[in-house]
Amino acid sequence: MNLPDPLGMPGAPRETWAAVQAHVQTPAPRSGQLILVTDWQGERQRAAYGALLERGADRVVVARAFGPHFGPAGVSALAELVAWAVGAGLTLREAVLPPPDAAQLLSEPDAALAARAVAASSPLDPGVFLPGTGRL
């Protein structure tokens, strides 16, 4: 079973965040998770993120367009995505995958890679990505 094409455009933080906002306008249960996906271990100051968003039965991949790798717009869009997830009651997690796996999941997702990302994910403190924390 394949997942739908990723939401957004790789490398375009504002456009990708807008695509996520349009997608999540549909009602969904206040449960689920946002798994930030990267291939950078221990390098949050330079990292690029995509995501796996699960809300109820809805599972979508979000293009690699968030984080410091994409400049101030990437940092801002990531903070907005994380703040939205917290407000929506989603669990926040992070998965660091090998570069080929992360690239495939975030461009041509399939259920097996999504399951690996879920299994590899760890809980994440949202404060790492929110403004005013001085962490990112």
Side-chain angles (χ1 to χ4, degrees), residues 4-115:
D5 286 340
L7 291 176
M9 298 170 30
R14 300 308 322 158
E15 293 84 351
T16 301
W17 172 227
V20 171
Q21 289 174 303
H23 180 80
V24 299
Q25 286 181 355
T26 58
R30 286 190 56 85
S31 65
Q33 60 185 351
L34 176 69
I35 301 173
L36 300 177
V37 178
T38 187
D39 59 5
W40 289 80
Q41 178 71 41
E43 294 287 334
R44 284 198 177 117
Q45 276 69 17
R46 300 183 318 182
Y49 290 93
L52 181 60
L53 173 61
E54 298 179 330
R55 295 183 323 142
D58 183 39
R59 178 185 270 186
V60 296
V61 171
V62 179
R64 183 177 178 258
F66 298 95
H69 182 80
F70 302 107
V75 172
S76 175
L78 179 58
E80 291 173 39
L81 176 67
V82 168
W84 167 80
V86 170
L90 302 180
T91 301
L92 191 61
R93 300 181 66 84
E94 181 179 37
V96 179
L97 300 177
D101 292 346
Q104 184 177 350
L105 175 63
L106 298 174
S107 63
E108 298 178 23
D110 68 42
L113 275 174

